[in-house]
Amino acid sequence: ITDITVINKLNGRDQLIRKQSILANRCENTSIIGARRFGKTSLLKSMVNYFRDNEGFKVYPIYLDFKTEDLKGTDVAYRYMISILVTNLYIDGIFTTEESFGSVSITPSEEWTEVDEQIQHLSGARLQSCLKRIIVFFASYLEKTILFIIDEYEYLFKYVLDTPASFMKLRELSTSIINNDLRPFVFWISGALSWDHLCSVIGSGECNPISATEFVEPIGKSDFISM
Protein backbone atom coordinates (compact mmCIF):
# COMPACT_ATOMS: atom_id res chain seq x y z
CA ILE A 1 0.00 0.00 0.00
CA THR A 2 1.40 3.38 -1.02
CA ASP A 3 1.58 6.00 1.74
CA ILE A 4 -0.92 8.82 1.38
CA THR A 5 0.85 12.17 1.72
CA VAL A 6 -1.95 14.59 0.83
CA ILE A 7 -4.12 15.60 3.75
CA ASN A 8 -7.43 15.85 1.88
CA LYS A 9 -7.11 12.18 0.94
CA LEU A 10 -6.95 11.08 4.58
CA ASN A 11 -10.51 10.05 5.27
CA GLY A 12 -11.68 9.69 8.85
CA ARG A 13 -8.84 11.75 10.32
CA ASP A 14 -10.44 15.21 10.56
CA GLN A 15 -10.48 15.38 14.36
CA LEU A 16 -6.89 14.13 14.68
CA ILE A 17 -5.71 16.59 12.03
CA ARG A 18 -7.33 19.46 13.93
CA LYS A 19 -5.70 18.39 17.19
CA GLN A 20 -2.27 18.05 15.60
CA SER A 21 -2.62 21.44 13.95
CA ILE A 22 -3.28 23.01 17.34
CA LEU A 23 -0.30 21.21 18.89
CA ALA A 24 1.91 22.38 16.05
CA ASN A 25 1.00 26.01 16.66
CA ARG A 26 1.55 25.53 20.39
CA CYS A 27 5.01 24.16 19.57
CA GLU A 28 4.63 21.24 21.97
CA ASN A 29 6.64 18.03 22.14
CA THR A 30 4.12 15.35 21.28
CA SER A 31 3.88 11.56 21.11
CA ILE A 32 1.67 9.98 18.45
CA ILE A 33 0.88 6.42 19.43
CA GLY A 34 -0.85 3.67 17.49
CA ALA A 35 -0.45 0.04 16.47
CA ARG A 36 1.40 -0.77 13.28
CA ARG A 37 -0.58 -0.56 10.04
CA PHE A 38 -2.99 1.99 11.55
CA GLY A 39 -1.81 4.71 9.17
CA LYS A 40 0.57 6.72 11.36
CA THR A 41 3.14 7.20 8.60
CA SER A 42 0.58 8.43 6.08
CA LEU A 43 -0.78 10.82 8.71
CA LEU A 44 2.66 12.20 9.59
CA LYS A 45 3.80 12.66 5.98
CA SER A 46 0.51 14.36 5.15
CA MET A 47 0.87 16.69 8.14
CA VAL A 48 4.38 17.63 7.01
CA ASN A 49 3.07 18.66 3.59
CA TYR A 50 0.10 20.44 5.18
CA PHE A 51 2.32 22.49 7.50
CA ARG A 52 4.72 23.33 4.66
CA ASP A 53 1.94 24.41 2.31
CA ASN A 54 0.25 26.73 4.80
CA GLU A 55 2.23 29.76 5.97
CA GLY A 56 0.02 30.23 9.01
CA PHE A 57 1.65 27.40 10.92
CA LYS A 58 4.42 28.23 13.37
CA VAL A 59 6.52 25.16 12.59
CA TYR A 60 8.87 24.04 9.83
CA PRO A 61 8.47 20.24 9.83
CA ILE A 62 11.11 17.62 9.05
CA TYR A 63 10.10 13.95 8.72
CA LEU A 64 12.72 11.45 9.93
CA ASP A 65 12.65 7.68 9.52
CA PHE A 66 15.76 6.06 10.98
CA LYS A 67 14.44 2.53 10.41
CA THR A 68 14.06 2.77 6.64
CA GLU A 69 17.61 4.10 6.26
CA ASP A 70 18.95 1.33 8.55
CA LEU A 71 21.18 3.69 10.53
CA LYS A 72 23.35 2.60 13.45
CA GLY A 73 25.20 4.75 16.00
CA THR A 74 24.63 8.10 17.68
CA ASP A 75 27.03 10.01 15.43
CA VAL A 76 25.39 8.52 12.34
CA ALA A 77 21.98 9.56 13.69
CA TYR A 78 23.05 13.17 14.22
CA ARG A 79 24.67 13.35 10.78
CA TYR A 80 21.41 12.07 9.32
CA MET A 81 19.36 14.69 11.18
CA ILE A 82 21.65 17.47 9.97
CA SER A 83 21.65 16.14 6.41
CA ILE A 84 17.88 15.72 6.14
CA LEU A 85 17.28 19.19 7.61
CA VAL A 86 19.76 20.81 5.20
CA THR A 87 18.32 18.91 2.22
CA ASN A 88 14.77 20.02 3.01
CA LEU A 89 15.89 23.62 3.43
CA TYR A 90 17.67 23.42 0.07
CA ILE A 91 14.68 21.92 -1.77
CA ASP A 92 12.47 24.67 -0.33
CA GLY A 93 14.88 27.34 -1.57
CA ILE A 94 15.78 28.48 1.96
CA PHE A 95 19.40 27.28 2.20
CA THR A 96 20.98 27.53 -1.26
CA THR A 97 24.65 28.48 -0.85
CA GLU A 98 27.55 27.47 1.38
CA GLU A 99 27.10 28.59 4.98
CA SER A 100 29.32 28.33 8.05
CA PHE A 101 28.05 27.18 11.41
CA GLY A 102 30.87 27.82 13.82
CA SER A 103 33.89 26.12 12.29
CA VAL A 104 31.79 23.87 10.05
CA SER A 105 31.00 24.88 6.48
CA ILE A 106 28.17 23.13 4.66
CA THR A 107 27.14 23.31 1.01
CA PRO A 108 23.47 22.27 0.67
CA SER A 109 22.28 19.60 -1.76
CA GLU A 110 19.07 17.85 -2.73
CA GLU A 111 20.73 14.53 -1.81
CA TRP A 112 21.12 14.04 1.94
CA THR A 113 24.02 11.62 1.40
CA GLU A 114 26.04 14.43 -0.22
CA VAL A 115 25.54 16.60 2.86
CA ASP A 116 26.42 13.64 5.07
CA GLU A 117 29.76 13.23 3.27
CA GLN A 118 30.73 16.81 4.17
CA ILE A 119 30.39 16.20 7.90
CA GLN A 120 31.87 12.70 8.11
CA HIS A 121 34.87 14.13 9.98
CA LEU A 122 32.69 15.44 12.81
CA SER A 123 31.78 13.35 15.82
CA GLY A 124 30.18 13.54 19.23
CA ALA A 125 29.81 17.00 20.70
CA ARG A 126 30.80 18.75 17.45
CA LEU A 127 27.98 17.10 15.53
CA GLN A 128 25.45 17.96 18.21
CA SER A 129 26.71 21.53 18.37
CA CYS A 130 26.47 21.81 14.58
CA LEU A 131 22.87 20.59 14.63
CA LYS A 132 22.00 23.15 17.31
CA ARG A 133 23.63 25.99 15.36
CA ILE A 134 21.74 25.10 12.18
CA ILE A 135 18.42 24.80 13.99
CA VAL A 136 18.80 28.09 15.85
CA PHE A 137 20.01 29.91 12.72
CA PHE A 138 17.10 28.83 10.53
CA ALA A 139 14.47 29.04 13.27
CA SER A 140 15.48 32.68 13.71
CA TYR A 141 15.55 33.26 9.95
CA LEU A 142 12.15 31.64 9.31
CA GLU A 143 10.64 32.85 12.60
CA LYS A 144 9.32 29.32 12.94
CA THR A 145 10.04 26.39 15.24
CA ILE A 146 11.91 23.52 13.58
CA LEU A 147 9.76 20.43 14.18
CA PHE A 148 11.39 17.00 13.94
CA ILE A 149 8.77 14.28 13.36
CA ILE A 150 10.46 11.00 14.26
CA ASP A 151 8.65 7.93 12.93
CA GLU A 152 9.19 4.44 14.40
CA TYR A 153 10.95 6.09 17.31
CA GLU A 154 11.40 2.82 19.20
CA TYR A 155 13.88 1.81 16.52
CA LEU A 156 15.86 4.99 17.17
CA PHE A 157 16.27 4.12 20.84
CA LYS A 158 16.74 0.37 20.48
CA TYR A 159 19.04 0.13 17.47
CA VAL A 160 20.44 3.54 16.50
CA LEU A 161 21.46 5.59 19.52
CA ASP A 162 24.41 4.24 21.50
CA THR A 163 22.61 5.04 24.77
CA PRO A 164 19.26 6.69 25.65
CA ALA A 165 21.25 9.65 26.98
CA SER A 166 22.25 10.38 23.37
CA PHE A 167 18.78 11.89 22.97
CA MET A 168 19.59 14.57 25.53
CA LYS A 169 20.70 17.19 23.01
CA LEU A 170 17.27 17.07 21.36
CA ARG A 171 15.61 17.25 24.76
CA GLU A 172 17.67 20.31 25.71
CA LEU A 173 16.97 22.01 22.39
CA SER A 174 13.24 21.43 22.81
CA THR A 175 13.19 23.38 26.07
CA SER A 176 15.27 26.34 24.90
CA ILE A 177 13.99 29.80 23.96
CA ILE A 178 15.61 32.32 21.62
CA ASN A 179 14.66 35.80 20.41
CA ASN A 180 11.04 36.96 20.73
CA ASP A 181 10.21 33.94 22.94
CA LEU A 182 10.60 31.62 19.94
CA ARG A 183 11.20 27.95 20.64
CA PRO A 184 13.77 26.99 18.02
CA PHE A 185 12.98 23.29 18.17
CA VAL A 186 10.39 20.71 19.21
CA PHE A 187 9.97 17.04 18.42
CA TRP A 188 7.12 14.67 17.75
CA ILE A 189 7.72 10.96 18.18
CA SER A 190 5.55 8.26 16.65
CA GLY A 191 5.40 4.58 17.42
CA ALA A 192 3.46 1.68 18.90
CA LEU A 193 4.80 2.05 22.45
CA SER A 194 3.89 4.93 24.73
CA TRP A 195 6.75 7.30 25.54
CA ASP A 196 6.31 6.77 29.29
CA HIS A 197 6.52 3.01 28.82
CA LEU A 198 9.69 3.29 26.76
CA CYS A 199 11.30 5.59 29.33
CA SER A 200 10.47 3.09 32.09
CA VAL A 201 11.85 0.16 30.09
CA ILE A 202 15.13 1.87 29.25
CA GLY A 203 15.34 3.47 32.68
CA SER A 204 15.83 6.95 31.30
CA GLY A 205 13.14 9.35 32.41
CA GLU A 206 15.61 12.11 31.60
CA CYS A 207 14.49 11.76 27.99
CA ASN A 208 11.18 13.46 28.75
CA PRO A 209 9.49 16.05 28.32
CA ILE A 210 6.46 15.08 26.29
CA SER A 211 3.61 17.48 26.93
CA ALA A 212 0.88 15.93 24.75
CA THR A 213 -0.11 12.52 23.43
CA GLU A 214 -2.40 11.68 20.53
CA PHE A 215 -3.65 8.19 19.68
CA VAL A 216 -4.11 6.92 16.13
CA GLU A 217 -7.05 4.53 15.94
CA PRO A 218 -8.09 2.42 12.93
CA ILE A 219 -10.43 4.23 10.56
CA GLY A 220 -13.86 2.87 9.66
CA LYS A 221 -14.36 0.44 6.80
CA SER A 222 -16.15 2.96 4.56
CA ASP A 223 -13.36 5.54 5.02
CA PHE A 224 -10.74 2.91 4.27
CA ILE A 225 -12.52 1.75 1.10
CA SER A 226 -12.97 5.32 -0.14
CA MET A 227 -9.19 5.92 0.15
Side-chain angles (χ1 to χ4, degrees):
I1 298 176
T2 302
D3 289 337
I4 293 172
T5 60
V6 179
I7 207 160
N8 61 14
K9 293 184 179 180
L10 283 178
N11 297 330
R13 296 297 190 201
D14 292 349
Q15 184 176 4
L16 192 54
I17 290 167
R18 283 195 298 272
K19 288 181 178 180
Q20 289 193 289
S21 297
I22 291 169
L23 290 168
N25 275 336
R26 288 178 178 171
C27 298
E28 295 189 28
N29 293 334
T30 301
S31 60
I32 299 160
I33 306 302
R36 288 177 174 81
R37 312 298 296 175
F38 273 19
K40 296 190 302 298
T41 296
S42 287
L43 174 66
L44 296 175
K45 289 182 176 179
S46 297
M47 295 303 295
V48 166
N49 291 331
Y50 183 48
F51 295 155
R52 291 273 186 88
D53 293 341
N54 292 273
E55 280 297 316
F57 286 106
K58 297 179 180 179
V59 295
Y60 181 79
I62 301 294
Y63 175 84
L64 296 163
D65 184 351
F66 294 89
K67 184 175 182 180
T68 298
E69 299 298 341
D70 193 29
L71 305 173
K72 298 291 192 300
T74 294
D75 289 351
V76 174
Y78 276 90
R79 287 206 313 268
Y80 177 68
M81 288 185 275
I82 292 169
S83 301
I84 293 295
L85 175 56
V86 168
T87 295
N88 276 267
L89 290 164
Y90 176 78
I91 291 171
D92 288 343
I94 299 166
F95 182 4
T96 57
T97 59
E98 183 182 24
E99 186 69 52
S100 294
F101 305 94
S103 61
V104 180
S105 294
I106 295 176
T107 300
S109 169
E110 63 181 355
E111 297 294 335
W112 75 264
T113 52
E114 293 182 4
V115 180
D116 182 80
E117 288 176 2
Q118 299 175 50
I119 53 176
Q120 288 278 340
H121 64 290
L122 301 179
S123 62
R126 290 192 71 199
L127 272 172
Q128 295 180 26
S129 175
C130 181
L131 176 63
K132 179 180 179 179
R133 287 175 182 271
I134 295 172
I135 285 174
V136 170
F137 180 91
F138 283 104
S140 297
Y141 175 77
L142 295 169
E143 296 183 334
K144 290 179 179 284
T145 298
I146 307 298
L147 167 62
F148 276 9
I149 299 178
I150 302 171
D151 206 359
E152 303 283 358
Y153 85 99
E154 299 98 329
Y155 185 88
L156 171 66
F157 277 87
K158 188 173 182 180
Y159 297 109
V160 183
L161 299 179
D162 296 330
T163 69
S166 302
F167 194 82
M168 280 297 292
K169 177 55 69 175
L170 298 184
R171 178 196 185 281
E172 291 169 4
L173 269 170
S174 74
T175 58
S176 63
I177 301 292
I178 54 176
N179 51 297
N180 299 321
D181 293 327
L182 175 69
R183 294 184 73 176
F185 173 79
V186 293
F187 62 87
W188 288 6
I189 52 95
S190 176
L193 289 175
S194 75
W195 181 261
D196 288 343
H197 177 72
L198 181 73
C199 288
S200 66
V201 169
I202 63 179
S204 188
E206 67 185 1
C207 289
N208 249 327
I210 289 287
S211 54
T213 299
E214 294 295 333
F215 295 94
V216 178
E217 305 290 346
I219 61 173
K221 182 178 180 181
S222 59
D223 286 323
F224 179 79
I225 293 172
S226 65
M227 286 198 295

